[in-house]
Amino acid sequence: MTARRKEFHQRVEEAFANPQMRKSVPITQDNLRFGRIRAMEELKNGEAWREIASQIRNHTLDHLQEYVNELITNFEKNGGKAHFAKNGEEAVQTVLSIARKHQAKRVVKSKSMVTEEIHLNHALEEDGINVVETDLGEFIIQLAGETPSHILAPAIHKSRQEVAELFSKEAGRPLTDRTEDLTRYARERLRQEFLDADLGITGCNFAVAESGSIILISNEGNARMTSSLPKVHIVVMGMERVVPTWAELDVLVTMLTRNATGQKLSVYMTAISGPRRAGDLDGPEEVHLIILDNGRSDILESKYREVLKCIRCSACVNVCPVYREIGGHAYGGVYSGPIGAVLTPLLDGMEKNKELPFASSLCGACTEVCPVKIPLHHYLIEERKDLVEKGFLPKQERVTFQAFAFLTSHPLFYRSAVRGAGRLSPMFGRDGVLKKGPGMLAGWTDGRDLPLPAKESFHDWWRRQRGEKR
Protein backbone atom coordinates (compact mmCIF):
# COMPACT_ATOMS: atom_id res chain seq x y z
CA MET A 1 0.00 0.00 0.00
CA THR A 2 1.39 3.41 -0.90
CA ALA A 3 1.36 6.36 1.43
CA ARG A 4 -1.32 8.00 -0.76
CA ARG A 5 -3.76 5.10 -0.50
CA LYS A 6 -3.56 4.97 3.28
CA GLU A 7 -5.87 7.13 5.33
CA PHE A 8 -4.31 10.21 6.89
CA HIS A 9 -4.93 9.03 10.44
CA GLN A 10 -3.36 5.66 9.66
CA ARG A 11 -0.26 7.40 8.33
CA VAL A 12 -0.06 9.53 11.48
CA GLU A 13 -0.41 6.49 13.74
CA GLU A 14 2.42 4.77 11.85
CA ALA A 15 4.58 7.86 12.33
CA PHE A 16 3.90 7.89 16.08
CA ALA A 17 4.93 4.24 16.21
CA ASN A 18 8.24 4.86 14.41
CA PRO A 19 10.87 5.59 17.12
CA GLN A 20 13.69 6.20 14.62
CA MET A 21 11.69 8.83 12.76
CA ARG A 22 10.66 10.53 16.00
CA LYS A 23 14.30 10.62 17.10
CA SER A 24 15.94 11.78 13.87
CA VAL A 25 13.43 14.38 12.64
CA PRO A 26 13.81 16.81 15.60
CA ILE A 27 17.62 16.56 15.42
CA THR A 28 17.71 17.40 11.72
CA GLN A 29 15.05 20.08 12.11
CA ASP A 30 17.09 21.81 14.82
CA ASN A 31 20.36 21.61 12.86
CA LEU A 32 18.77 23.15 9.77
CA ARG A 33 16.77 25.70 11.76
CA PHE A 34 19.75 27.00 13.75
CA GLY A 35 21.88 27.00 10.60
CA ARG A 36 19.28 29.19 8.92
CA ILE A 37 19.19 31.60 11.86
CA ARG A 38 22.99 32.02 11.81
CA ALA A 39 23.10 32.46 8.03
CA MET A 40 20.33 35.06 7.99
CA GLU A 41 21.93 37.00 10.88
CA GLU A 42 25.09 37.31 8.77
CA LEU A 43 23.10 39.30 6.23
CA LYS A 44 22.45 41.92 8.97
CA ASN A 45 19.22 43.04 7.27
CA GLY A 46 17.44 39.75 6.68
CA GLU A 47 13.98 41.32 6.63
CA ALA A 48 15.00 43.62 3.79
CA TRP A 49 16.29 40.60 1.83
CA ARG A 50 12.99 38.80 2.45
CA GLU A 51 11.05 41.80 1.18
CA ILE A 52 13.17 42.06 -1.99
CA ALA A 53 12.87 38.32 -2.64
CA SER A 54 9.12 38.52 -2.17
CA GLN A 55 8.85 41.43 -4.59
CA ILE A 56 10.91 39.56 -7.19
CA ARG A 57 8.67 36.53 -6.97
CA ASN A 58 5.48 38.65 -7.08
CA HIS A 59 6.75 40.53 -10.13
CA THR A 60 7.65 37.26 -11.87
CA LEU A 61 4.18 35.79 -11.21
CA ASP A 62 2.56 39.00 -12.51
CA HIS A 63 4.42 38.50 -15.81
CA LEU A 64 4.84 34.72 -15.73
CA GLN A 65 3.76 33.94 -19.29
CA GLU A 66 5.96 36.72 -20.64
CA TYR A 67 9.05 35.38 -18.84
CA VAL A 68 8.32 31.76 -19.75
CA ASN A 69 8.11 32.77 -23.42
CA GLU A 70 11.40 34.66 -23.13
CA LEU A 71 13.01 31.63 -21.48
CA ILE A 72 11.83 29.32 -24.27
CA THR A 73 13.07 31.68 -27.00
CA ASN A 74 16.53 32.06 -25.49
CA PHE A 75 16.84 28.39 -24.50
CA GLU A 76 16.19 27.34 -28.10
CA LYS A 77 18.57 30.04 -29.40
CA ASN A 78 21.22 28.26 -27.33
CA GLY A 79 20.49 25.00 -29.17
CA GLY A 80 18.12 23.36 -26.66
CA LYS A 81 14.64 22.04 -27.34
CA ALA A 82 11.77 23.30 -25.17
CA HIS A 83 8.48 21.46 -24.56
CA PHE A 84 5.38 22.59 -22.67
CA ALA A 85 3.29 20.06 -20.71
CA LYS A 86 -0.21 20.93 -19.51
CA ASN A 87 -0.19 18.11 -16.97
CA GLY A 88 1.92 15.32 -15.54
CA GLU A 89 0.83 12.81 -18.16
CA GLU A 90 2.00 15.05 -21.00
CA ALA A 91 5.34 15.59 -19.27
CA VAL A 92 5.82 11.85 -18.75
CA GLN A 93 4.94 11.08 -22.37
CA THR A 94 7.43 13.71 -23.57
CA VAL A 95 10.21 12.10 -21.51
CA LEU A 96 9.26 8.64 -22.78
CA SER A 97 9.23 9.89 -26.37
CA ILE A 98 12.77 11.26 -26.03
CA ALA A 99 13.94 8.07 -24.30
CA ARG A 100 12.46 5.85 -27.02
CA LYS A 101 13.97 8.00 -29.79
CA HIS A 102 17.40 7.39 -28.30
CA GLN A 103 16.64 3.75 -27.37
CA ALA A 104 17.57 4.62 -23.82
CA LYS A 105 17.74 1.76 -21.32
CA ARG A 106 19.58 3.40 -18.43
CA VAL A 107 18.71 6.73 -16.81
CA VAL A 108 20.37 8.63 -13.99
CA LYS A 109 18.45 11.31 -12.10
CA SER A 110 19.33 14.03 -9.66
CA LYS A 111 16.92 15.01 -6.89
CA SER A 112 13.79 16.57 -8.34
CA MET A 113 10.52 17.13 -6.49
CA VAL A 114 8.65 17.94 -9.69
CA THR A 115 9.51 14.52 -11.20
CA GLU A 116 8.27 12.96 -7.95
CA GLU A 117 5.07 14.98 -8.43
CA ILE A 118 4.43 13.38 -11.86
CA HIS A 119 5.60 9.86 -10.80
CA LEU A 120 8.20 9.82 -13.56
CA ASN A 121 10.31 6.95 -12.20
CA HIS A 122 7.36 4.58 -12.16
CA ALA A 123 6.47 5.41 -15.79
CA LEU A 124 10.07 4.92 -16.98
CA GLU A 125 10.40 1.60 -15.17
CA GLU A 126 7.10 0.39 -16.67
CA ASP A 127 8.62 1.17 -20.08
CA GLY A 128 11.57 -1.12 -19.32
CA ILE A 129 14.04 1.64 -18.45
CA ASN A 130 16.38 1.29 -15.48
CA VAL A 131 16.27 4.47 -13.35
CA VAL A 132 18.84 5.27 -10.67
CA GLU A 133 18.53 8.21 -8.29
CA THR A 134 21.99 9.73 -7.71
CA ASP A 135 21.35 12.07 -4.78
CA LEU A 136 22.47 10.05 -1.76
CA GLY A 137 19.21 10.53 0.15
CA GLU A 138 17.09 9.75 -2.91
CA PHE A 139 19.26 6.69 -3.65
CA ILE A 140 18.56 5.40 -0.12
CA ILE A 141 14.79 5.79 -0.33
CA GLN A 142 14.74 4.36 -3.84
CA LEU A 143 16.36 1.19 -2.49
CA ALA A 144 13.84 1.22 0.38
CA GLY A 145 10.90 1.66 -2.01
CA GLU A 146 9.77 4.80 -0.22
CA THR A 147 8.97 8.41 -1.07
CA PRO A 148 10.88 11.47 0.20
CA SER A 149 10.03 12.50 3.76
CA HIS A 150 11.65 15.95 3.52
CA ILE A 151 12.17 18.36 0.62
CA LEU A 152 15.92 18.64 1.22
CA ALA A 153 16.71 15.52 3.23
CA PRO A 154 14.55 12.76 1.71
CA ALA A 155 16.00 10.00 3.94
CA ILE A 156 15.85 12.03 7.16
CA HIS A 157 13.92 9.19 8.85
CA LYS A 158 16.57 6.49 8.23
CA SER A 159 19.33 5.49 10.67
CA ARG A 160 22.86 4.53 9.59
CA GLN A 161 22.05 0.95 10.53
CA GLU A 162 19.02 0.91 8.27
CA VAL A 163 21.06 2.41 5.42
CA ALA A 164 23.76 -0.21 5.96
CA GLU A 165 21.16 -2.98 5.64
CA LEU A 166 19.84 -1.50 2.38
CA PHE A 167 23.32 -1.00 0.91
CA SER A 168 24.48 -4.49 2.00
CA LYS A 169 21.52 -6.07 0.23
CA GLU A 170 22.23 -4.03 -2.90
CA ALA A 171 25.97 -4.77 -2.80
CA GLY A 172 25.48 -8.47 -2.14
CA ARG A 173 27.95 -8.32 0.73
CA PRO A 174 27.88 -7.05 4.32
CA LEU A 175 28.81 -3.40 4.81
CA THR A 176 29.52 -1.70 8.11
CA ASP A 177 27.37 1.22 9.26
CA ARG A 178 30.37 3.57 9.28
CA THR A 179 29.51 6.71 7.33
CA GLU A 180 32.79 6.51 5.37
CA ASP A 181 32.05 2.94 4.23
CA LEU A 182 28.48 3.73 3.23
CA THR A 183 29.37 6.84 1.22
CA ARG A 184 32.30 5.02 -0.41
CA TYR A 185 29.96 2.27 -1.60
CA ALA A 186 27.42 4.81 -2.91
CA ARG A 187 30.15 6.74 -4.72
CA GLU A 188 31.54 3.64 -6.45
CA ARG A 189 28.09 2.32 -7.32
CA LEU A 190 26.74 5.60 -8.66
CA ARG A 191 29.88 6.59 -10.60
CA GLN A 192 29.47 3.57 -12.84
CA GLU A 193 25.81 4.46 -13.34
CA PHE A 194 26.81 7.95 -14.54
CA LEU A 195 29.23 6.43 -17.07
CA ASP A 196 26.71 3.88 -18.37
CA ALA A 197 23.62 6.11 -18.54
CA ASP A 198 21.90 6.94 -21.83
CA LEU A 199 19.89 9.81 -20.36
CA GLY A 200 20.32 12.24 -17.50
CA ILE A 201 17.20 13.78 -15.94
CA THR A 202 17.27 16.72 -13.54
CA GLY A 203 14.88 19.19 -12.05
CA CYS A 204 15.57 22.89 -12.09
CA ASN A 205 16.11 25.20 -9.13
CA PHE A 206 15.71 28.28 -11.32
CA ALA A 207 15.67 29.16 -15.03
CA VAL A 208 16.96 32.57 -16.17
CA ALA A 209 14.72 34.04 -18.87
CA GLU A 210 17.18 36.62 -20.23
CA SER A 211 19.79 33.98 -21.17
CA GLY A 212 17.74 30.77 -21.41
CA SER A 213 19.91 29.17 -18.70
CA ILE A 214 19.01 26.34 -16.30
CA ILE A 215 20.37 26.60 -12.74
CA LEU A 216 21.08 23.47 -10.70
CA ILE A 217 22.13 23.72 -7.05
CA SER A 218 23.50 20.76 -5.08
CA ASN A 219 26.03 19.78 -2.44
CA GLU A 220 27.04 16.39 -3.83
CA GLY A 221 27.97 17.16 -7.44
CA ASN A 222 25.58 14.52 -8.73
CA ALA A 223 23.44 17.07 -10.57
CA ARG A 224 26.49 18.24 -12.51
CA MET A 225 27.42 14.67 -13.47
CA THR A 226 23.81 13.81 -14.37
CA SER A 227 23.63 16.81 -16.68
CA SER A 228 27.06 16.48 -18.29
CA LEU A 229 28.01 12.81 -18.72
CA PRO A 230 25.02 11.24 -20.58
CA LYS A 231 24.57 12.24 -24.24
CA VAL A 232 21.04 13.52 -23.60
CA HIS A 233 19.95 15.76 -20.72
CA ILE A 234 16.27 16.32 -19.90
CA VAL A 235 15.25 19.11 -17.51
CA VAL A 236 11.79 19.04 -15.94
CA MET A 237 10.74 22.33 -14.32
CA GLY A 238 7.57 23.74 -12.82
CA MET A 239 6.60 26.82 -14.84
CA GLU A 240 6.96 29.08 -11.78
CA ARG A 241 10.70 28.41 -11.45
CA VAL A 242 11.61 31.11 -13.98
CA VAL A 243 13.41 34.32 -12.92
CA PRO A 244 13.74 37.37 -15.16
CA THR A 245 17.51 38.05 -15.05
CA TRP A 246 20.77 37.06 -13.37
CA ALA A 247 20.39 40.02 -10.99
CA GLU A 248 17.18 38.55 -9.54
CA LEU A 249 18.78 35.11 -9.48
CA ASP A 250 21.54 36.45 -7.24
CA VAL A 251 18.99 37.44 -4.58
CA LEU A 252 16.97 34.21 -4.80
CA VAL A 253 20.00 31.90 -4.64
CA THR A 254 21.24 33.79 -1.58
CA MET A 255 17.87 33.28 0.10
CA LEU A 256 17.59 29.64 -1.01
CA THR A 257 20.91 28.37 0.30
CA ARG A 258 20.85 30.34 3.56
CA ASN A 259 17.28 29.31 4.37
CA ALA A 260 17.73 25.71 3.26
CA THR A 261 21.01 24.55 4.80
CA GLY A 262 22.46 27.67 6.39
CA GLN A 263 25.13 27.95 3.67
CA LYS A 264 26.22 31.19 2.00
CA LEU A 265 26.28 29.19 -1.22
CA SER A 266 25.91 25.51 -1.99
CA VAL A 267 28.98 23.45 -2.94
CA TYR A 268 27.91 23.20 -6.59
CA MET A 269 25.93 25.71 -8.64
CA THR A 270 25.70 24.78 -12.32
CA ALA A 271 24.36 27.02 -15.10
CA ILE A 272 23.45 25.19 -18.31
CA SER A 273 22.90 27.21 -21.46
CA GLY A 274 22.30 24.60 -24.14
CA PRO A 275 24.09 21.46 -25.33
CA ARG A 276 27.82 20.92 -25.78
CA ARG A 277 29.48 23.33 -28.20
CA ALA A 278 32.52 22.81 -30.39
CA GLY A 279 35.60 22.75 -28.17
CA ASP A 280 33.72 21.86 -24.98
CA LEU A 281 35.35 19.01 -23.04
CA ASP A 282 32.07 17.62 -21.75
CA GLY A 283 28.34 18.15 -21.84
CA PRO A 284 25.34 16.49 -23.51
CA GLU A 285 24.71 16.50 -27.26
CA GLU A 286 21.02 17.31 -26.67
CA VAL A 287 19.28 19.26 -23.92
CA HIS A 288 15.49 19.22 -23.55
CA LEU A 289 13.51 21.51 -21.24
CA ILE A 290 10.02 20.35 -20.23
CA ILE A 291 8.02 23.19 -18.66
CA LEU A 292 5.21 21.78 -16.54
CA ASP A 293 1.90 23.45 -15.70
CA ASN A 294 0.01 20.66 -13.89
CA GLY A 295 -2.47 22.97 -12.19
CA ARG A 296 -0.13 25.91 -11.64
CA SER A 297 -2.07 28.17 -14.05
CA ASP A 298 -5.22 27.56 -12.02
CA ILE A 299 -3.38 28.42 -8.78
CA LEU A 300 -1.99 31.57 -10.41
CA GLU A 301 -5.55 32.80 -11.03
CA SER A 302 -6.74 31.91 -7.51
CA LYS A 303 -6.48 33.55 -4.08
CA TYR A 304 -3.61 31.14 -3.35
CA ARG A 305 -1.32 32.47 -6.11
CA GLU A 306 1.51 33.42 -3.73
CA VAL A 307 2.17 29.76 -2.93
CA LEU A 308 3.85 29.69 -6.36
CA LYS A 309 6.52 32.02 -4.94
CA CYS A 310 7.98 29.01 -3.10
CA ILE A 311 11.69 28.35 -3.79
CA ARG A 312 11.66 24.91 -2.07
CA CYS A 313 14.06 25.87 0.74
CA SER A 314 12.05 23.91 3.38
CA ALA A 315 12.54 26.61 6.04
CA CYS A 316 8.82 26.26 6.87
CA VAL A 317 9.21 22.50 7.30
CA ASN A 318 12.11 22.96 9.70
CA VAL A 319 10.11 25.10 12.16
CA CYS A 320 6.81 23.21 12.01
CA PRO A 321 5.79 21.58 15.33
CA VAL A 322 3.39 19.22 13.54
CA TYR A 323 6.05 17.99 11.08
CA ARG A 324 8.34 17.49 14.07
CA GLU A 325 5.89 14.94 15.51
CA ILE A 326 4.63 13.13 12.40
CA GLY A 327 7.47 13.47 9.83
CA GLY A 328 6.96 13.74 6.08
CA HIS A 329 5.26 10.49 5.05
CA ALA A 330 2.18 11.28 7.13
CA TYR A 331 1.33 14.07 4.67
CA GLY A 332 0.87 11.43 1.98
CA GLY A 333 2.11 13.55 -0.93
CA VAL A 334 5.38 14.68 -2.45
CA TYR A 335 5.51 17.94 -0.51
CA SER A 336 5.40 17.80 3.30
CA GLY A 337 5.24 20.30 6.12
CA PRO A 338 3.32 23.60 5.86
CA ILE A 339 4.08 24.10 2.16
CA GLY A 340 2.82 20.57 1.48
CA ALA A 341 -0.31 21.13 3.56
CA VAL A 342 -1.13 24.16 1.40
CA LEU A 343 0.16 23.02 -2.01
CA THR A 344 -0.90 19.38 -2.16
CA PRO A 345 -4.68 20.05 -1.94
CA LEU A 346 -4.29 22.70 -4.67
CA LEU A 347 -2.36 20.41 -7.03
CA ASP A 348 -3.98 17.09 -6.19
CA GLY A 349 -7.53 17.99 -5.17
CA MET A 350 -9.13 19.39 -2.01
CA GLU A 351 -11.38 16.43 -1.23
CA LYS A 352 -8.59 13.83 -1.57
CA ASN A 353 -6.37 15.85 0.78
CA LYS A 354 -8.95 17.41 3.08
CA GLU A 355 -7.05 16.55 6.27
CA LEU A 356 -3.87 18.41 5.33
CA PRO A 357 -4.99 22.01 6.02
CA PHE A 358 -5.85 20.81 9.54
CA ALA A 359 -2.37 19.31 10.06
CA SER A 360 -1.18 22.59 11.53
CA SER A 361 -1.23 24.36 14.87
CA LEU A 362 -1.59 27.71 13.02
CA CYS A 363 1.26 29.06 15.16
CA GLY A 364 2.48 31.10 12.18
CA ALA A 365 6.15 30.05 12.47
CA CYS A 366 6.09 28.93 8.83
CA THR A 367 4.96 32.34 7.61
CA GLU A 368 7.50 34.07 9.85
CA VAL A 369 10.51 32.27 8.33
CA CYS A 370 9.41 32.00 4.69
CA PRO A 371 12.14 33.81 2.68
CA VAL A 372 9.63 34.96 0.05
CA LYS A 373 6.85 35.84 2.50
CA ILE A 374 4.19 33.31 1.53
CA PRO A 375 1.29 33.71 4.01
CA LEU A 376 1.22 29.98 4.68
CA HIS A 377 -0.85 29.80 7.85
CA HIS A 378 -3.37 32.29 6.44
CA TYR A 379 -3.72 30.02 3.39
CA LEU A 380 -4.33 27.04 5.68
CA ILE A 381 -7.24 28.91 7.27
CA GLU A 382 -8.61 29.79 3.82
CA GLU A 383 -8.41 26.16 2.73
CA ARG A 384 -10.29 25.12 5.88
CA LYS A 385 -13.02 27.60 4.95
CA ASP A 386 -13.12 26.23 1.40
CA LEU A 387 -13.45 22.66 2.69
CA VAL A 388 -16.39 23.65 4.90
CA GLU A 389 -18.13 25.61 2.14
CA LYS A 390 -17.71 22.73 -0.34
CA GLY A 391 -19.11 20.22 2.13
CA PHE A 392 -15.98 18.05 2.21
CA LEU A 393 -15.92 17.66 6.00
CA PRO A 394 -17.68 14.76 7.83
CA LYS A 395 -21.41 15.29 8.44
CA GLN A 396 -20.99 14.85 12.21
CA GLU A 397 -18.39 17.62 12.29
CA ARG A 398 -20.56 19.96 10.19
CA VAL A 399 -23.60 19.37 12.41
CA THR A 400 -21.53 19.90 15.56
CA PHE A 401 -20.19 23.24 14.41
CA GLN A 402 -23.59 24.33 13.13
CA ALA A 403 -24.96 23.62 16.61
CA PHE A 404 -22.04 25.51 18.18
CA ALA A 405 -22.68 28.48 15.88
CA PHE A 406 -26.36 28.48 16.82
CA LEU A 407 -25.63 28.38 20.54
CA THR A 408 -23.00 31.11 20.48
CA SER A 409 -25.34 33.40 18.56
CA HIS A 410 -28.30 32.79 20.95
CA PRO A 411 -27.21 33.71 24.53
CA LEU A 412 -30.24 32.20 26.27
CA PHE A 413 -29.75 28.77 24.69
CA TYR A 414 -25.97 28.99 25.19
CA ARG A 415 -26.29 29.61 28.94
CA SER A 416 -28.82 26.82 29.30
CA ALA A 417 -26.52 24.42 27.46
CA VAL A 418 -23.51 25.38 29.61
CA ARG A 419 -25.52 24.88 32.80
CA GLY A 420 -26.74 21.51 31.54
CA ALA A 421 -23.21 20.41 30.69
CA GLY A 422 -21.96 21.40 34.15
CA ARG A 423 -24.69 19.40 35.89
CA LEU A 424 -24.68 16.30 33.70
CA SER A 425 -20.97 15.88 32.95
CA PRO A 426 -20.10 14.28 36.37
CA MET A 427 -22.19 11.29 35.24
CA PHE A 428 -19.61 10.62 32.45
CA GLY A 429 -16.36 11.40 34.24
CA ARG A 430 -14.41 10.68 37.38
CA ASP A 431 -12.06 12.77 39.55
CA GLY A 432 -12.86 15.87 37.51
CA VAL A 433 -11.84 14.50 34.12
CA LEU A 434 -13.51 12.76 31.20
CA LYS A 435 -11.41 9.81 30.07
CA LYS A 436 -13.59 8.54 27.22
CA GLY A 437 -15.70 11.11 25.41
CA PRO A 438 -18.68 10.52 23.14
CA GLY A 439 -18.75 11.36 19.40
CA MET A 440 -16.11 13.87 18.27
CA LEU A 441 -14.78 14.18 21.83
CA ALA A 442 -13.44 10.63 21.50
CA GLY A 443 -10.70 11.98 19.21
CA TRP A 444 -9.51 14.15 22.11
CA THR A 445 -9.90 11.66 24.95
CA ASP A 446 -8.10 8.90 23.00
CA GLY A 447 -4.88 10.78 23.64
CA ARG A 448 -5.46 12.83 26.79
CA ASP A 449 -7.90 13.52 29.63
CA LEU A 450 -10.54 16.21 29.18
CA PRO A 451 -11.32 18.34 32.29
CA LEU A 452 -15.03 18.28 33.09
CA PRO A 453 -16.97 21.55 32.77
CA ALA A 454 -17.27 23.52 36.00
CA LYS A 455 -20.48 22.94 37.92
CA GLU A 456 -21.09 26.67 37.84
CA SER A 457 -20.51 28.64 34.62
CA PHE A 458 -18.51 31.86 34.58
CA HIS A 459 -21.63 33.85 33.72
CA ASP A 460 -23.50 32.46 36.73
CA TRP A 461 -20.51 33.00 39.03
CA TRP A 462 -20.14 36.60 37.83
CA ARG A 463 -23.81 37.35 38.37
CA ARG A 464 -23.66 35.77 41.80
CA GLN A 465 -20.67 37.95 42.70
CA ARG A 466 -22.60 41.02 41.64
CA GLY A 467 -25.73 39.91 43.48
CA GLU A 468 -27.73 39.66 40.26
CA LYS A 469 -30.46 37.15 39.52
CA ARG A 470 -30.02 34.61 36.75
Side-chain angles (χ1 to χ4, degrees):
M1 183 181 285
T2 64
R4 161 63 61 220
R5 290 169 57 195
K6 293 178 182 175
E7 293 294 329
F8 174 73
H9 292 94
Q10 184 183 354
R11 299 194 300 264
V12 171
E13 290 297 333
E14 289 179 358
F16 285 155
N18 184 339
Q20 178 57 42
M21 187 282 293
R22 302 202 67 187
K23 175 183 176 184
S24 58
V25 165
I27 294 172
T28 308
Q29 255 194 334
D30 289 345
N31 288 337
L32 293 172
R33 181 162 57 92
F34 291 127
R36 173 196 169 276
I37 292 171
R38 285 193 296 271
M40 289 300 290
E41 285 176 349
E42 289 173 358
L43 287 176
K44 306 297 183 188
N45 50 357
E47 277 306 304
W49 279 83
R50 288 181 73 216
E51 182 57 35
I52 293 170
S54 174
Q55 290 178 11
I56 290 171
R57 294 300 286 152
N58 276 327
H59 169 80
T60 305
L61 294 180
D62 289 342
H63 304 276
L64 187 59
Q65 191 58 57
E66 177 185 333
Y67 286 125
V68 167
N69 290 340
E70 184 181 354
L71 170 68
I72 291 173
T73 299
N74 290 324
F75 182 78
E76 295 199 331
K77 277 183 184 176
N78 295 333
K81 173 65 177 173
H83 313 260
F84 189 82
K86 287 189 294 187
N87 51 46
E89 179 61 23
E90 280 193 10
V92 167
Q93 289 304 319
T94 302
V95 173
L96 289 174
S97 173
I98 296 168
R100 289 166 185 160
K101 175 186 172 186
H102 292 276
Q103 299 180 326
K105 295 298 178 186
R106 304 185 73 83
V107 169
V108 286
K109 282 182 71 236
S110 67
K111 187 159 73 67
S112 160
M113 300 305 286
V114 74
T115 59
E116 295 277 354
E117 179 185 319
I118 62 175
H119 310 294
L120 180 60
N121 286 15
H122 179 68
L124 289 169
E125 287 165 355
E126 280 202 329
D127 213 51
I129 298 172
N130 182 59
V131 184
V132 176
E133 293 285 353
T134 61
D135 172 87
L136 182 58
E138 289 280 347
F139 181 55
I140 291 168
I141 63 168
Q142 185 183 29
L143 293 180
E146 298 176 0
T147 54
S149 63
H150 188 280
I151 293 174
L152 289 181
I156 186 177
H157 56 292
K158 294 289 185 191
S159 67
R160 281 188 295 117
Q161 293 73 24
E162 290 172 324
V163 174
E165 288 179 15
L166 289 169
F167 281 13
S168 296
K169 184 177 179 181
E170 181 70 8
R173 66 178 192 278
L175 298 173
T176 75
D177 61 7
R178 294 178 65 242
T179 303
E180 294 82 355
D181 292 342
L182 297 175
T183 52
R184 183 182 302 110
Y185 168 73
R187 187 182 304 115
E188 292 171 356
R189 167 82 163 73
L190 294 176
R191 184 149 297 178
Q192 193 58 48
E193 294 292 344
F194 288 123
L195 296 172
D196 294 342
D198 303 304
L199 287 181
I201 299 177
T202 69
C204 165
N205 292 100
F206 299 105
V208 184
E210 71 170 349
S211 63
S213 303
I214 305 302
I215 308 300
L216 302 177
I217 296 172
S218 76
N219 279 319
E220 299 175 15
N222 63 304
R224 175 63 181 154
M225 296 182 79
T226 300
S227 63
S228 60
L229 291 181
K231 290 184 178 180
V232 181
H233 175 206
I234 300 174
V235 183
V236 185
M237 65 170 274
M239 61 189 291
E240 79 282 9
R241 312 299 289 174
V242 67
V243 296
T245 71
W246 288 85
E248 285 87 4
L249 178 72
D250 182 18
V251 175
L252 295 178
V253 168
T254 297
M255 296 304 279
L256 173 60
T257 57
R258 287 177 183 268
N259 283 277
T261 55
Q263 294 170 285
K264 293 179 181 176
L265 190 62
S266 60
V267 178
Y268 296 91
M269 177 172 160
T270 303
I272 300 167
S273 299
R276 174 194 298 203
R277 298 179 176 84
D280 286 350
L281 296 178
D282 60 13
E285 295 170 3
E286 286 185 23
V287 181
H288 295 264
L289 172 62
I290 300 173
I291 302 171
L292 177 68
D293 186 324
N294 207 30
R296 288 164 171 78
S297 291
D298 293 336
I299 297 174
L300 187 64
E301 298 301 321
S302 75
K303 59 185 175 183
Y304 300 107
R305 72 191 304 270
E306 288 195 57
V307 77
L308 296 176
K309 290 159 63 177
C310 180
I311 56 174
R312 304 290 190 267
C313 67
S314 78
C316 62
V317 180
N318 299 329
V319 297
C320 178
V322 175
Y323 179 90
R324 192 178 186 90
E325 297 298 326
I326 66 175
H329 287 158
Y331 290 82
V334 174
Y335 306 102
S336 55
I339 185 65
V342 173
L343 187 58
T344 303
L346 298 175
L347 290 177
D348 192 40
M350 279 280 186
E351 187 170 13
K352 282 195 294 183
N353 300 280
K354 59 180 180 288
E355 299 91 352
L356 295 185
F358 295 91
S360 168
S361 66
L362 298 180
C363 64
C366 49
T367 301
E368 190 173 315
V369 300
C370 178
V372 289
K373 292 192 165 183
I374 301 172
L376 286 164
H377 75 290
H378 296 292
Y379 279 173
L380 289 169
I381 295 171
E382 284 298 316
E383 289 186 335
R384 294 180 185 188
K385 286 171 57 180
D386 288 350
L387 286 165
V388 171
E389 290 171 3
K390 292 176 180 176
F392 290 154
L393 296 185
K395 185 177 179 181
Q396 183 187 37
E397 191 170 327
R398 292 204 308 273
V399 170
T400 301
F401 279 101
Q402 285 170 355
F404 181 76
F406 175 82
L407 290 174
T408 52
S409 58
H410 295 78
L412 180 62
F413 289 103
Y414 177 80
R415 289 169 188 167
S416 298
V418 170
R419 286 183 193 130
R423 291 168 182 166
L424 297 176
S425 59
M427 297 168 58
F428 302 97
R430 180 181 294 178
D431 298 329
V433 296
L434 186 65
K435 293 185 178 295
K436 190 171 181 59
M440 288 178 59
L441 284 179
W444 175 284
T445 54
D446 282 350
R448 70 205 79 177
D449 293 338
L450 179 68
L452 292 174
K455 291 181 180 178
E456 183 180 34
S457 71
F458 174 78
H459 279 111
D460 289 345
W461 175 84
W462 182 250
R463 289 188 174 191
R464 183 163 56 80
Q465 296 300 314
R466 294 165 63 92
E468 297 177 0
K469 294 182 180 179
R470 289 184 180 179

